[in-house]
Amino acid sequence: MIIDPLKDLPTLADIEDAAERIKGVTFHTPLLRSDALDAVVGAPVWIKPEMLQRTGSFKMRGAWNRVSRIPEADRAKGVVAFSSGNHAQGVAESARLLGMKSTIVMPADAPAAKIESTKRRGATVRLYDRIKESREAIAAEIAAESGATTVRPFDDAWIMAGQGTAGLEAARDAAAMDVRFGSLICNASGGGLLAGFAVAFEALSPATEVYVSEPEGHDDLIRSLASMKIVSNAPGTRSIADALMSPEPGVLPFEIHKRRVKGGFTASNDQLLDAMSFAFHHLKLVAEPGGANSLAVLLNNRKHFAERGPILIVLSGGNVDADMFSKAIARTPPV
Amino acid sequence: MIIDPLKDLPTLADIEDAAERIKGVTFHTPLLRSDALDAVVGAPVWIKPEMLQRTGSFKMRGAWNRVSRIPEADRAKGVVAFSSGNHAQGVAESARLLGMKSTIVMPADAPAAKIESTKRRGATVRLYDRIKESREAIAAEIAAESGATTVRPFDDAWIMAGQGTAGLEAARDAAAMDVRFGSLICNASGGGLLAGFAVAFEALSPATEVYVSEPEGHDDLIRSLASMKIVSNAPGTRSIADALMSPEPGVLPFEIHKRRVKGGFTASNDQLLDAMSFAFHHLKLVAEPGGANSLAVLLNNRKHFAERGPILIVLSGGNVDADMFSKAIARTPPV
């Protein structure tokens, strides 16, 4: 089926198509278990560890599904994207593999690890001031000048379908083990990953309740769902979850969120650091602040989720600087 | 087949039997990939991440395979073991699951994380002085007084067969993906895990060359293989690889090593810290110093292994204190 990715919503068929396309380029991440996590939560928990994905986050899935569809004739003009750092790496890596130029507009205060990794993958990085400048405007200008294809972070059906391959893998792997999730918790910024999971689970595990996890002060999606229309975060609100600072849900993802997301919870900076410490001490996984949001939400709302039976949490990324990580793991993990 | 675990060597059938026994108690750990690692090594590398195993190391596999075979009549008397911390947690967790008492003899300078985790699993921990006291003598005394079953760390066919389930999983998973490893690198202290891998690969992937990775100054197995008889490390030699400080190879494991281990390499403390940093920055995995030994050996002998085609490295554990880990990840990872 030919879809218009800037207008249409992805279906399960689009996710299955994306799964074929990304095979051999991205990794099929496993579902992991932890007896320590099961014990503190009081229900069996399954972890989808997207920090183990190529580029250290799920973003490679959507980026490859989008960038690899750019027609041959347009490839010489390159791609442009804006991102706090994970989409940046996914787009840069996809472009590199296709022999294309990439320009990524990144906030000057992004983690050094993300900026370095994006450059290492061959991208030209244009830093901007998160408060004073508009990343959309800068990217639009670069696109207009160069003819580069803009790769949006979430408002694109191909991007959402690509991110949804993580949900497809998790749903199929769970079915093969005869596991039925009562609930799943997924981090959201613009909400592309959450939308992808929601579409995959709507088809393959419709009884699973879908929850969103957001950083405190960036609960734009939770508030948008409450009013059934898109609302923004207060400008200038900060969180250590640098990956989850989109000002509002994406227009296309929100159409799916409205249909499928049951509710949501936020986590404070302290709760994010505690969750990172838990992941270090017990899961032996490196989670970035935003990547650990779902775990933080689970650890702080145990009863709500345990009552619903087996739980799936999506740890969306692990691109964190050593100093932030050291600060987190010095904390005693929650018991 | 009835085997005498203190005299016989494990076979593939014993490993397959162990795999059935540990199912549902331990986790089937995945084979992971990293484009960053492939790029620096110049050959495809597959990672068996045993820090993701229950208790944070492979040791749970052998411990459960041994402890769960203790006859009902002997269970009330408990188990005793000596260990620097990973076998300790495996034995303590196995005993806990079976409702048995456990006493673990641990060095007073073991990482706090290992001592705490062993206690949390219900064990009575008896600390000893690594230089002045004999852990074997202390454990023997406890066993004589209490009638507890001694769970040896490696000189036991059931322990080796249990550890070998990691090799069985890796060999089968690789075969399912049509991957053939030219070489595998596995850490060794007493050498139970290495022996288990060697037996599994002898049967399922005989063309794979098996290499041992050891810490500098603790190359007892490499030197034993060179002289074809067991030799010890100089007393008092120290390494940050606390998990790999056995004074010499186990008698039973060495019978298998002699038959199947092609060679070995050591890594210095600096190289271990660098490998831990690489695992943090690029693999997003928490490796303890001893757990990262195979990666350190690979990073420092790239040409040797790349020439042999696809490589399997076994990262054996992730039980490391936050301060040691922070020290490691502050280092720029090898390029």
Side-chain angles (χ1 to χ4, degrees):
Chain A
M1 187 184 61
I2 306 296
I3 63 170
D4 179 342
L6 303 188
K7 283 186 188 157
D8 292 328
L9 299 179
T11 63
L12 181 68
D14 296 315
I15 297 175
E16 288 171 336
D17 180 53
E20 282 304 310
R21 179 170 284 267
I22 68 174
K23 203 176 276 181
V25 175
T26 65
F27 311 138
H28 180 130
T29 56
L31 286 182
L32 301 178
R33 302 297 312 275
S34 158
D35 60 302
L37 186 54
D38 286 5
V40 301
V41 171
V45 184
W46 300 78
I47 302 153
K48 183 70 172 170
E50 285 294 303
M51 65 279 282
L52 303 181
Q53 185 51 265
R54 189 168 188 158
T55 71
S57 88
F58 70 95
K59 289 283 194 180
M60 181 72 193
R61 297 173 181 272
W64 180 260
N65 192 45
R66 178 70 192 84
V67 177
S68 68
R69 288 177 200 267
I70 294 173
E72 281 292 342
D74 294 334
R75 290 194 179 177
K77 296 176 211 155
V79 289
V80 61
F82 49 85
S83 162
S84 69
N86 284 336
H87 181 58
Q89 291 173 72
V91 172
E93 180 70 358
S94 297
R96 187 184 72 78
L97 290 169
L98 294 163
M100 295 171 68
K101 286 180 294 185
S102 64
T103 307
I104 317 284
V105 183
M106 297 180 74
D109 62 353
K114 290 181 175 175
I115 296 173
E116 285 316 306
S117 176
T118 305
K119 287 183 180 169
R120 199 171 56 238
R121 297 172 198 282
T124 302
V125 172
R126 160 72 162 86
L127 297 178
Y128 75 99
D129 183 316
R130 208 191 273 271
I131 309 296
K132 295 182 191 157
E133 293 183 278
S134 158
R135 61 185 195 173
E136 289 84 351
I138 299 168
E141 195 177 314
I142 293 167
E145 277 171 14
S146 62
T149 303
T150 302
V151 183
R152 301 178 177 197
F154 39 80
D155 252 328
D156 179 314
W158 286 333
I159 292 284
M160 285 186 277
Q163 321 302 31
T165 59
L168 185 69
E169 290 172 2
R172 284 184 177 161
D173 288 348
M177 293 183 291
D178 212 21
V179 172
R180 287 172 186 80
F181 300 118
S183 60
L184 82 79
I185 314 174
C186 181
N187 306 323
S189 183
L193 177 66
L194 175 64
F197 261 87
V199 171
F201 272 72
E202 181 174 39
L204 301 176
S205 183
T208 302
E209 292 184 0
V210 179
Y211 290 86
V212 60
S213 38
E214 293 187 290
E216 211 170 80
H218 287 264
D219 56 344
D220 47 292
L221 180 51
I222 293 171
R223 290 182 298 107
S224 296
L225 287 168
S227 57
M228 287 304 260
K229 67 171 201 300
I230 289 177
V231 296
S232 300
N233 297 308
T237 320
R238 301 303 303 271
S239 158
I240 59 169
D242 61 273
L244 305 182
M245 292 178 70
S246 173
E248 67 232 341
V251 172
L252 294 177
F254 188 61
E255 289 303 310
I256 295 166
H257 302 154
K258 280 196 290 192
R259 191 169 90 205
R260 290 297 301 167
V261 179
K262 174 96 176 174
F265 297 87
T266 62
S268 67
N269 281 347
D270 277 340
Q271 289 171 338
L272 294 176
L273 291 168
D274 283 347
M276 291 168 70
S277 179
F278 192 97
F280 165 78
H281 286 283
H282 296 302
L283 312 184
K284 311 300 175 186
L285 291 171
V286 175
E288 62 181 274
N293 208 330
S294 52
L295 175 59
V297 159
L298 175 59
L299 289 171
N300 290 283
N301 300 276
R302 301 177 196 188
K303 192 162 167 291
H304 176 90
F305 290 102
E307 284 173 356
R308 284 159 174 77
I311 301 155
L312 172 65
I313 58 171
V314 187
L315 301 183
S316 46
N319 293 313
V320 53
D321 285 345
D323 54 354
M324 172 71 85
F325 197 73
S326 293
K327 183 178 155 185
I329 66 178
R331 301 167 75 98
T332 304
V335 289
Chain B
M1 187 184 64
I2 306 296
I3 62 169
D4 180 341
L6 304 187
K7 283 186 190 159
D8 293 328
L9 298 180
T11 64
L12 181 68
D14 295 315
I15 297 175
E16 288 171 336
D17 180 52
E20 282 303 311
R21 179 170 284 267
I22 67 174
K23 204 176 275 181
V25 175
T26 64
F27 311 137
H28 181 131
T29 56
L31 286 181
L32 301 178
R33 302 296 313 275
S34 159
D35 60 301
L37 186 54
D38 286 4
V40 300
V41 171
V45 184
W46 302 79
I47 302 153
K48 183 72 172 169
E50 284 294 302
M51 65 280 282
L52 303 181
Q53 185 51 264
R54 188 167 189 159
T55 72
S57 90
F58 71 94
K59 288 283 193 179
M60 181 72 193
R61 298 173 181 272
W64 179 259
N65 192 45
R66 178 68 193 83
V67 176
S68 68
R69 288 178 200 265
I70 295 173
E72 280 293 342
D74 294 333
R75 290 192 180 179
K77 295 176 212 154
V79 290
V80 61
F82 49 85
S83 162
S84 69
N86 284 336
H87 180 57
Q89 292 173 72
V91 172
E93 180 70 358
S94 297
R96 187 184 72 77
L97 291 169
L98 294 163
M100 295 169 69
K101 286 180 293 185
S102 64
T103 306
I104 317 284
V105 182
M106 298 181 72
D109 61 354
K114 290 181 174 175
I115 296 174
E116 285 316 308
S117 177
T118 305
K119 287 182 180 170
R120 200 171 55 239
R121 296 173 198 281
T124 301
V125 173
R126 160 71 162 88
L127 298 178
Y128 76 99
D129 183 315
R130 210 192 272 271
I131 309 297
K132 295 182 192 158
E133 293 183 278
S134 157
R135 61 186 195 172
E136 288 84 351
I138 298 168
E141 194 176 315
I142 293 168
E145 277 171 14
S146 62
T149 303
T150 301
V151 183
R152 300 178 179 199
F154 39 79
D155 251 329
D156 179 314
W158 285 333
I159 292 284
M160 285 187 276
Q163 322 302 30
T165 59
L168 185 69
E169 289 172 4
R172 285 184 178 162
D173 288 348
M177 294 182 291
D178 213 20
V179 173
R180 287 173 187 80
F181 300 118
S183 60
L184 82 80
I185 314 174
C186 182
N187 307 323
S189 183
L193 177 67
L194 175 65
F197 261 87
V199 171
F201 273 71
E202 180 173 40
L204 301 176
S205 184
T208 302
E209 292 183 0
V210 179
Y211 291 86
V212 60
S213 38
E214 294 188 289
E216 210 170 82
H218 287 263
D219 56 344
D220 47 292
L221 179 51
I222 294 170
R223 289 183 297 108
S224 296
L225 287 168
S227 57
M228 287 304 260
K229 67 172 202 299
I230 289 177
V231 295
S232 301
N233 297 309
T237 320
R238 301 302 304 270
S239 158
I240 59 169
D242 61 272
L244 305 182
M245 293 178 70
S246 172
E248 67 230 341
V251 173
L252 294 178
F254 187 61
E255 289 303 309
I256 295 167
H257 302 155
K258 279 196 291 192
R259 191 169 90 205
R260 290 295 303 166
V261 179
K262 175 97 176 173
F265 297 87
T266 62
S268 68
N269 282 346
D270 276 340
Q271 289 170 337
L272 294 176
L273 291 169
D274 283 347
M276 291 168 70
S277 179
F278 191 97
F280 166 79
H281 286 282
H282 296 302
L283 312 184
K284 311 301 176 187
L285 291 171
V286 175
E288 62 181 277
N293 207 330
S294 52
L295 175 59
V297 159
L298 175 59
L299 289 170
N300 289 284
N301 299 277
R302 300 176 197 188
K303 190 161 169 291
H304 177 89
F305 290 102
E307 283 172 357
R308 285 160 173 77
I311 301 155
L312 172 64
I313 57 170
V314 188
L315 301 183
S316 46
N319 293 313
V320 53
D321 286 345
D323 53 355
M324 172 71 85
F325 197 72
S326 293
K327 182 178 157 187
I329 66 179
R331 301 166 76 99
T332 303
V335 289

